[in-house]
Amino acid sequence: MNHKKFATKAVHAGVEPDPHTGAIMTPIYQTSTYVQESPGKHKGYEYSRTHNPTRTALQQSLAALENGKYGLCFASGLAATDAVLKLLKPGDEVIATNDLYGGTYRIFTKVFERFGIRFKFVSMDDPSSLEKEITANTKLFWVETPTNPLLNVVNIKAIAAVAKAHQAWCVVDNTFATPYLQNPLDLGADLVVHSVTKYLAGHSDVVMGAIVTNHEALHQELRFLQNACGAVPGPQDCFLVLRGIKTLHLRMKAHVENAGILAQYLQQHPKVARVYYPGLATHPQHALAKEQMKGFGGMISFCLKSDDIQDALRVLEKLELFSLAESLGGVESLCGHPATMTHASIPKAEREKAGLSDTLIRLSVGIEDSDDLIADLQQAIG
Ligand code: P1T
C-alpha cells in the first residue's frame, strides 16, 4: 500500500474486509483478552494491551501515511513522547526546538530531567549552529515543525543530517503538518511522533498519539515499551481515528485554503501587528516551507498592535465561531491564548526567550466557510 497515492492510502491502508463477515469497516474489537486453544496456541492475539485488531489496522494505516514500515499507537500524544524518551538513559542529552508544545516542554523538564536526561532548547533556524550544542552524550534531536505556537519552520533534512553525523536520532513531531503536508521519514528523520488527537482524528472527539518509523530495532524497542508501560488507546478510539483518516486529505485541503485566506486578511488588518503563518511571503522560512511542505497548514498565530493583554483577551472572548479552547486540528475553528492555556507550563522567561509574547493569539482554522470566519474575526478585532 505504501506505493499508492496519499488519498488512496487514506481510504484503504490498514483496512481489510473483516475475515468472518466481510464487514468493510474494521470492527471495534471491544475485548480485553482472546481465547487460546492450548497455552501459547492462539490466533496472534493474547491480551489487548499487547495487541488489538482495531489498533493493528490503525497502526498500519498511520505507517502507510507516513511512508513508514511500522506504526504504534498510544493513549495520547504525550504518551507517545513518553515512549520515545524512554529509549534514553540517565546522562543522555536531547536537543529540542525552543518553540514547542507546552506539554512537551513539561514532560521533558519536569519528568525526564528527574531521571537524569538533559535537555537543551535551541532555535533550529540555522542547523549549522547546532554543532556547538552537541556533546558525546547527545542522543536525540527533537524537532517540531511547524512549531507550536509560533509556526517556525525547521529544515528536517538538515537536522536529520546533523543527527546522523553524530549517531543521534532525529525525531519529528509532525502534528501540525500531518502526513498529508509533510513526510519527515522521507527527509531522513528516524521517528515521527503525532498527537493523533488533532488533524489525524480530526473531529475533536479522541485523545491519542502515534509513532512511525522505518527502523526495525527502534520499532521493536518502542513496541516493548508500549506493552511494558501500557499507555495504549482503546479499540473504540482506534475505530474513530480510522474513520477520521479516510477524509484527512480532503480536510487538510480545506484547512490550508481557509488558513491562507485568513492569514492574508489578518496581515492587512490595521489593528494587527504581526501574523505568524508559513504561507505568507513575509514568513522568515517561507521558502523552506514551500520546499518541505505540500501546503502551509491550518494554524495561524497573530499579535495585535496593542500590547495590552486585555485587548487580546477581549478578542478571544468576543470570537463566536472560533471556540475558545485548547487543542487544534478539528473541523471546527478554535482560538486560544498560548501564554495562559497550552503553553502556561513553560516559565514566562523561557516563553519570551523563544519569542512567545503574552499577547499572542493562536487560531486553529476549521473547514467552515471562510467568509463567515473572516466576519467573526472582523467583529471580534473591530
Ligand atoms: O494532547 P496530546 O494528544 O497528548 O498531544 C500532545 C501534543 C504533542 N505535540 C504537539 C505539537 C501538540 O500540539 C500536542 C498537544 N497540543 C495541544 C493540546 C494544543 O492545544 O496545542
Side-chain angles (χ1 to χ4, degrees):
M1 188 52 78
N2 275 19
H3 60 283
K4 294 275 196 294
K5 297 251 168 82
F6 192 89
T8 310
K9 292 196 283 189
V11 174
H12 293 287
V15 179
E16 298 287 343
D18 176 50
H20 303 298
T21 62
I24 192 160
M25 295 307 301
T26 306
I28 303 169
Y29 282 90
Q30 194 75 49
T31 187
S32 59
T33 194
Y34 307 83
V35 177
Q36 308 194 8
E37 234 175 85
S38 71
K41 196 165 172 210
H42 51 72
K43 299 182 168 70
Y45 290 91
E46 293 159 276
Y47 186 58
S48 275
R49 172 162 34 72
T50 321
H51 291 292
N52 176 283
T54 321
R55 196 172 88 216
T56 302
L58 176 58
Q59 291 180 159
Q60 288 171 355
S61 165
L62 290 168
L65 293 183
E66 282 291 10
N67 298 333
K69 285 193 194 143
Y70 311 105
L72 289 171
C73 291
F74 290 83
S76 67
L78 281 177
T81 301
D82 176 71
V84 172
L85 270 289
K86 284 176 180 156
L87 294 168
L88 304 181
K89 58 179 190 328
D92 286 349
E93 289 177 5
V94 176
I95 297 179
T97 36
N98 61 347
D99 183 49
L100 78 179
Y101 171 54
T104 306
Y105 179 90
R106 181 176 55 204
I107 194 172
F108 286 179
T109 58
K110 297 268 167 58
V111 179
F112 283 98
E113 275 188 3
R114 272 199 235 158
F115 296 102
I117 294 165
R118 288 192 286 270
F119 296 87
K120 287 181 187 166
F121 297 93
V122 299
S123 160
M124 292 191 178
D125 285 359
D126 173 11
S128 66
S129 72
L130 296 183
E131 294 286 348
K132 65 179 186 304
E133 309 292 345
I134 298 168
T135 74
N137 296 322
T138 304
K139 291 287 154 56
L140 196 147
F141 288 77
W142 188 277
V143 177
E144 229 184 70
T145 181
T147 61
N148 181 1
L150 291 173
L151 286 314
N152 294 317
V153 178
V154 177
N155 188 330
I156 297 171
K157 214 186 246 179
I159 304 291
V162 173
K164 198 168 186 166
H166 294 273
Q167 288 91 48
W169 294 311
C170 174
V171 183
V172 176
D173 182 332
N174 204 25
T175 300
F176 268 34
T178 81
Y180 178 66
L181 298 178
Q182 171 175 286
N183 296 116
L185 299 181
D186 292 349
L187 302 173
D190 299 291
L191 298 171
V192 172
V193 168
H194 277 283
S195 170
V196 174
T197 316
K198 310 300 179 332
Y199 292 103
L200 291 170
H203 298 76
S204 306
D205 50 10
V206 168
V207 171
M208 196 189 292
I211 306 172
V212 180
T213 185
N214 275 315
H215 288 280
E216 157 92 38
L218 273 181
H219 169 67
Q220 288 306 341
E221 182 63 15
L222 288 162
R223 229 188 74 64
F224 165 79
L225 290 165
Q226 183 196 42
N227 182 53
C229 301
V232 292
Q236 171 124 4
D237 283 356
C238 293
F239 173 86
L240 285 171
V241 176
L242 276 168
R243 175 176 163 137
I245 281 175
K246 287 181 192 289
T247 55
L248 177 63
H249 50 301
L250 303 176
R251 288 185 283 108
M252 288 315 295
K253 275 184 204 159
H255 285 295
V256 169
E257 186 183 336
N258 275 357
I261 294 168
L262 265 57
Q264 294 288 350
Y265 165 78
L266 286 167
Q267 196 175 37
Q268 56 73 50
H269 196 291
K271 288 192 180 165
V272 171
R274 180 161 177 195
V275 183
Y276 301 77
Y277 184 65
L280 293 173
T282 49
H283 187 285
Q285 297 101 27
H286 176 62
L288 171 62
K290 234 171 153 171
E291 191 188 311
Q292 183 166 277
M293 304 172 73
K294 233 169 44 184
F296 302 108
M299 297 298 294
I300 302 175
S301 292
F302 69 99
C303 284
L304 299 174
K305 281 186 181 152
S306 160
D307 53 15
D308 182 348
I309 188 173
Q310 293 309 322
D311 287 328
L313 299 184
R314 213 165 294 125
V315 168
L316 288 162
E317 285 163 8
K318 276 185 155 178
L319 282 166
E320 287 171 2
L321 275 177
F322 287 86
S323 301
L324 177 60
E326 305 222 3
S327 203
L328 59 113
V331 289
E332 58 288 288
S333 292
L334 300 180
C335 62
H337 182 238
T340 57
M341 296 168 69
T342 50
H343 294 70
S345 52
I346 305 177
K348 186 175 163 75
E350 289 301 311
R351 292 200 305 262
E352 285 179 351
K353 244 198 271 167
L356 199 178
S357 92
D358 282 356
T359 57
L360 191 83
I361 293 172
R362 191 187 76 176
L363 302 177
S364 172
V365 180
I367 64 168
E368 302 93 334
D369 192 292
S370 59
D371 288 347
D372 291 326
L373 296 177
I374 287 178
D376 196 26
L377 289 169
Q378 180 70 49
Q379 66 78 23
I381 300 171

